[in-house]
Amino acid sequence: MASFSVFFDGPLGFGIQLVDAIDADHAVEITSGIHGGSRFSAVPPKELEGCDKHKLLRAWIRGEGQHQAGQ
């Protein structure tokens, strides 16, 4: 298992959920059970080291981020 930071944005809210999963698709599947109806993007936390996660989340929500929604 690996850890993933899953960005989510939906009708009930937005944020970043830390999830332990087999791969990125599995991380999205787990998070979709918690935040249904959202769009998702799973990123290994090591890719976010040293970054302002809140700033990245805002950019991702606006469609400016590298990691676009997948589901």
Side-chain angles (χ1 to χ4, degrees), residues 2-69:
S3 292
F4 292 87
S5 294
V6 181
F7 288 56
F8 65 92
D9 177 30
L12 299 178
F14 58 89
I16 304 171
Q17 180 82 40
L18 186 61
V19 177
D20 290 326
I22 297 168
D23 58 20
D25 290 335
H26 186 227
V28 166
E29 181 181 335
I30 292 168
T31 308
S32 69
I34 301 167
H35 303 286
S38 296
R39 64 184 181 120
F40 305 95
S41 184
V43 182
K46 64 183 173 186
E47 288 186 24
L48 302 177
E49 285 180 10
C51 296
D52 181 337
K53 292 173 187 70
H54 293 101
K55 190 174 187 177
L56 287 174
L57 177 61
R58 283 191 304 274
W60 178 78
I61 289 170
R62 292 182 193 129
E64 300 166 4
Q66 292 178 337
H67 302 285
Q68 293 301 311

